[in-house]
Amino acid sequence: MAAHVRTQIRNAIASAVGGLTTTGARVFTSRVYPLERTDLPGLLVRIAAGSPEQVQRDTVHAPALLTRTLPVEVVAVARAVDDLDDTLDQIALEVETALAEPVAALAGIAKYIVLQSVQVDMTDGGEKPTGTITMQYEVEYFTLDNSPDVSV
């Protein structure tokens, strides 16, 4: 059995944003613990906490066709002294460009991906301020109710 389509989407997005100029290969999926200094600037690709995946049954017969709308976050984390805002904005520019339709890595997996919101947070604890910019995307995909590992 293949991975759930949700996992396939998360991995495809991580692949699409891997190798960007500012963050390079420092892309992590489902990371719970804070990033280390050596991981910065870096990206976290995860299912948005507190935002449920919406599922709608589109057919009456079995197996049922399900339209699924998945909230995915791409969180950029950076540390800087003078230009933290600029660094976060540059990372957002690179991520938004990489995830603009069409996203080759999502071909055959998802119908669309669209940016829904952006939130910037900063803390000044420690020797250098740390900031995050969270870009929340909506990804729509289809599965049958008896095979959530296959996109249709």
Side-chain angles (χ1 to χ4, degrees), residues 15-31:
S15 175
V17 298
L20 298 178
T21 303
T22 306
T23 53
R26 294 177 300 275
V27 179
F28 307 93
T29 57
S30 299
R31 181 107 179 217

Side-chain angles (χ1 to χ4, degrees), residues 8 21-22 42 60-62 66 84 88 92 101 103 132 138 141 146:
Q8 295 173 45
T21 303
T22 306
V60 181
H61 58 68
L66 303 177
L84 185 54
L88 293 172
E101 290 283 351
V103 180
T132 62
E138 178 178 278
Y141 68 103
N146 65 349

